[in-house]
Amino acid sequence: MSYTAISGIGEFGLIDKIATLANSTLPAVPELLTGIGDDCAVFQPSAELLQVATTDMLADQVHFDLLTTPLKHLGSKAISVNVSDICAMNALPRYALISLAIPASFSIAMIEELYQGMSHAAREYGLAIAGGDTSSSRSGLVIAISMMGEVSREQLVHRSGAKPGELLCITGALGGATAGLKLLMREKEIMLNHIENNESYSRSAMADLKEYSESIQQQLLPLARLDIVRFFHAHHIRPTSMIDISDGLSSDLQHLCRRSKIGAMIQEARIPILGSTRRIADELQDDALTWALTGGEDYQLLFTIPKEEYPAIADNKTIAVIGETTDVEEGVQLSDIYGMKIDLSSIRGFDHFSS
């Protein structure tokens, strides 16, 4: 058996290989309408409703750091990132199954705090925690959640339905989660430096983070855009394609374009970035646009609609048009504030196995 490092193909190359190996199993379940390659799998249990299913894993020191993340916040975030995948299919969440691999050092109180966060988020989204599994862990905490949702066939949205000449739209603002992460990592470094030098680490030594609370909340307590899905349903809007932004605008836009076999042109000036995010980027001598394009964890929705349907979303102030879809030959590009065109294929977001 030849050895090729996973980093040689990256996370999404690995997913493509797994999908190829799994394809031979699909004919066994003709009711499975969509397998690997979208935000959720789609199963048709009845003529009236479709079931969508997703799963996400959060691992200590990969997705979170318990030095900077309260357990209650982590529990809430674990639910939200799964709900965001359900939302990307224009569906509503129904129930979740939660599996935990727990280190021996954890106490009962710590697990209770984690589940308090999960339960609070579940109530906010109107879904049930229906079961799961527990195991010991010889390393850090691992949270794996499977979530089921429902949607009618008429409302279901995939990544693959966009056509050239449509509007590219985004909900909310981008880059805030990365800004929050950068601040928390800075605070962690200060704390560790104090410990290394045998210095006390108290509130007097700690930076005042109140002015950064908005960005820190976007990192620790992101909200899935279930409100947008309900808006779509109430106003009979069906995007032609949709994806949630978990890996950064650049990567997730490219995923959508690849599945729809289209290109795209987005405008830098139209990408919504909060002023607080820009101020933090300046303070840390970084670039807010880069955070929006590659940072990830914003869990906003990126979707396409025909131009003639713009009036249906025009009054929703949380939705911004950031560009248009184009022919696939034109690639996926960004027009910066100077009018220069940048090929986004060279700008990637988070990849678990990137070299």
Side-chain angles (χ1 to χ4, degrees):
M1 180 182 296
S2 62
Y3 176 81
T4 302
I6 296 175
S7 61
I9 59 173
E11 177 184 1
F12 303 105
L14 177 63
I15 292 172
D16 287 342
K17 285 191 174 295
I18 292 171
T20 299
L21 293 169
N23 279 342
S24 63
T25 70
L26 300 183
V29 185
E31 297 86 359
L32 184 67
L33 306 183
T34 302
I36 299 171
D38 221 302
D39 286 280
C40 295
V42 181
F43 181 76
Q44 185 171 12
S46 69
E48 293 78 25
L49 281 178
L50 300 178
Q51 182 184 78
V52 298
T54 186
T55 186
D56 258 300
M57 183 182 297
L58 300 179
D60 191 7
Q61 299 304 311
V62 177
H63 301 93
F64 61 88
D65 187 329
L66 291 177
L67 285 176
T68 59
T69 309
L71 283 165
K72 189 176 292 185
H73 291 32
L74 177 60
S76 177
K77 183 174 182 176
I79 294 293
S80 290
V81 300
N82 280 269
V83 173
S84 187
D85 279 337
I86 300 290
C87 290
M89 308 299 290
N90 203 31
L92 300 174
R94 299 300 294 148
Y95 67 94
L97 302 172
I98 299 170
S99 295
L100 300 178
I102 306 168
S105 59
F106 268 49
S107 67
I108 294 173
M110 294 171 74
I111 299 303
E112 287 178 336
E113 185 177 346
L114 180 70
Y115 262 87
Q116 285 169 3
M118 290 180 177
S119 296
H120 175 78
R123 290 193 299 270
E124 291 295 310
Y125 292 123
L127 64 94
I129 296 175
D133 191 20
T134 57
S135 169
S136 61
S137 170
R138 294 184 179 179
S139 53
L141 175 68
V142 178
I143 305 168
I145 297 181
S146 297
M147 189 172 291
M148 311 300 168
E150 291 179 344
V151 65
S152 69
R153 182 180 286 274
E154 292 73 26
Q155 292 169 323
L156 178 68
V157 177
H158 288 96
R159 297 178 182 180
S160 56
K163 305 294 183 186
E166 296 181 336
L167 298 177
L168 272 165
C169 307
I170 196 168
T171 65
L174 302 182
T178 299
L181 178 62
K182 297 282 187 181
L183 290 167
L184 292 170
M185 291 299 100
R186 181 181 70 175
E187 203 61 31
K188 175 186 174 182
E189 185 177 350
I190 292 171
M191 180 186 69
L192 293 178
N193 283 338
H194 276 72
I195 294 173
E196 184 178 340
N197 295 318
N198 293 317
E199 298 172 352
S200 63
Y201 181 74
S202 63
R203 288 188 179 274
S204 61
M206 190 186 305
D208 184 358
L209 298 179
K210 290 181 182 178
E211 62 179 303
Y212 308 123
S213 59
E214 184 177 41
S215 292
I216 291 174
Q217 180 169 332
Q218 286 175 302
Q219 168 57 217
L220 296 180
L221 286 172
L223 294 176
R225 297 309 304 263
L226 189 56
D227 61 315
I228 294 295
V229 173
R230 289 172 174 152
F231 169 79
F232 287 158
H233 291 187
H235 292 81
H236 307 290
I237 300 167
R238 184 189 184 189
T240 53
S241 68
M242 189 153 58
I243 189 172
D244 76 322
I245 299 179
S246 56
D247 298 318
L249 174 59
S250 180
S251 284
D252 290 315
L253 174 59
Q254 290 176 69
H255 295 330
L256 186 148
C257 288
R258 186 177 70 164
R259 294 290 292 178
S260 289
K261 297 181 175 59
I262 56 168
M265 172 64 73
I266 59 174
Q267 307 292 325
E268 176 186 350
R270 292 187 175 187
I271 298 173
I273 301 174
L274 294 177
S276 59
T277 301
R278 295 187 186 278
R279 287 194 298 273
I280 293 167
D282 290 342
E283 180 180 333
L284 299 180
Q285 298 182 318
D286 213 322
D287 180 54
L289 177 63
T290 300
W291 290 354
L293 291 174
T294 66
E297 291 200 296
D298 288 305
Y299 299 108
Q300 299 293 338
L301 295 174
L302 172 69
F303 65 93
T304 55
I305 57 168
K307 292 180 180 179
E308 59 269 21
E309 293 186 17
Y310 173 73
I313 65 166
D315 291 335
N316 191 314
K317 302 305 180 185
T318 69
I319 296 175
V321 176
I322 63 168
E324 295 185 10
T325 57
T326 60
D327 291 328
V328 66
E329 293 81 10
E330 297 185 36
V332 182
Q333 300 185 77
L334 168 76
S335 177
D336 70 12
I337 57 175
Y338 305 106
M340 299 290 291
K341 293 181 180 179
I342 300 169
D343 183 0
L344 289 180
S345 64
S346 61
I347 302 177
R348 291 285 182 176
F350 182 76
D351 186 323
H352 281 279
F353 303 104
S354 174
S355 57

